[in-house]
Amino acid sequence: MNNAHIDRALGVWRGLQPRERMFVAVGAAAVGALLLYFLLWAPLQRDLARLRVDTPRAAEQVQWMRAQMGRVRQLRGAVPAQSTAGGVLSFIEQSAAAYNVKQNIKRLEPEGTNGARVLLDGVSFNDLVSWLANLQKQGSVRVDNATLQAQPTPGIVNAHLSLRATGG
């Protein structure tokens, strides 16, 4: 606010009768109290009530997660370690058979010590995605590079994949 606004407001205030000044002061105090309540107190109370509910729930989740640590370690130890290209190739081939993509593999060759290049022709896109998800989940094999080409038949693709074992 600049001085002109302040001077004008003071002029209006001075022009009021004492009784009017009292009503304006009481009204300003009431508006101020309402603003404090609705802008500060009520949101703080709402958030405090939410935190009183959420905090015990979060503590239960942390306790459950800590209880599951042993199971996580056990499952991490159960993931097959693929340290040689032969192990990776074998796992990829076995998994491909389980996901109906083995018959579409035209070439499967090692790439380094823990990787493989795979060329698939005419594979169902849905089967390919399911197979790749299984490779990552069950065998710790991730896709380093993928090139997909759509085919005239809907849902069918050709794929050139570069796969790498993450555990080895």
Side-chain angles (χ1 to χ4, degrees):
M1 277 180 129
N2 59 27
N3 287 338
H5 287 69
I6 293 173
D7 290 340
R8 192 171 48 181
L10 284 175
V12 170
W13 177 259
R14 289 182 187 125
L16 296 175
Q17 296 297 320
R19 186 173 178 182
E20 292 172 330
R21 285 183 190 173
M22 182 186 68
F23 284 131
V24 170
V26 169
V31 168
L34 287 172
L35 285 174
L36 282 174
Y37 178 80
F38 286 109
L39 295 177
L40 279 162
W41 185 258
L44 285 173
Q45 292 301 312
R46 182 190 65 235
D47 291 344
L48 184 60
R50 182 182 48 81
L51 286 173
R52 285 182 178 141
V53 171
D54 290 349
T55 301
R57 192 177 312 148
E60 288 175 13
Q61 287 177 338
V62 167
Q63 186 178 12
W64 178 84
M65 287 181 207
R66 286 184 178 148
Q68 298 303 314
M69 284 301 295
R71 180 77 175 133
V72 169
R73 287 186 186 108
Q74 178 186 10
L75 290 173
R76 282 186 180 160
V79 173
Q82 310 291 349
S83 60
T84 65
V88 172
L89 294 177
S90 174
F91 177 75
I92 289 171
E93 197 168 1
Q94 289 172 1
S95 179
Y99 281 82
N100 298 320
V101 296
K102 185 175 181 180
Q103 67 275 10
N104 301 99
I105 295 178
K106 299 304 174 202
R107 189 169 56 225
L108 174 61
E109 55 192 35
E111 185 175 68
T113 58
N114 64 343
R117 281 192 304 258
V118 184
L119 172 65
L120 298 109
D121 281 339
V123 65
S124 162
F125 180 77
N126 291 339
D127 289 345
L128 177 66
V129 170
S130 296
W131 175 57
L132 292 174
N134 177 66
L135 285 175
Q136 183 171 356
K137 182 179 177 185
Q138 297 297 322
S140 296
V141 176
R142 74 177 195 287
V143 178
D144 269 351
N145 192 6
T147 304
L148 303 176
Q149 296 173 320
Q151 296 302 299
T153 306
I156 303 297
V157 296
N158 289 344
H160 299 262
L161 307 171
S162 177
L163 305 174
R164 179 122 356 252
T166 58

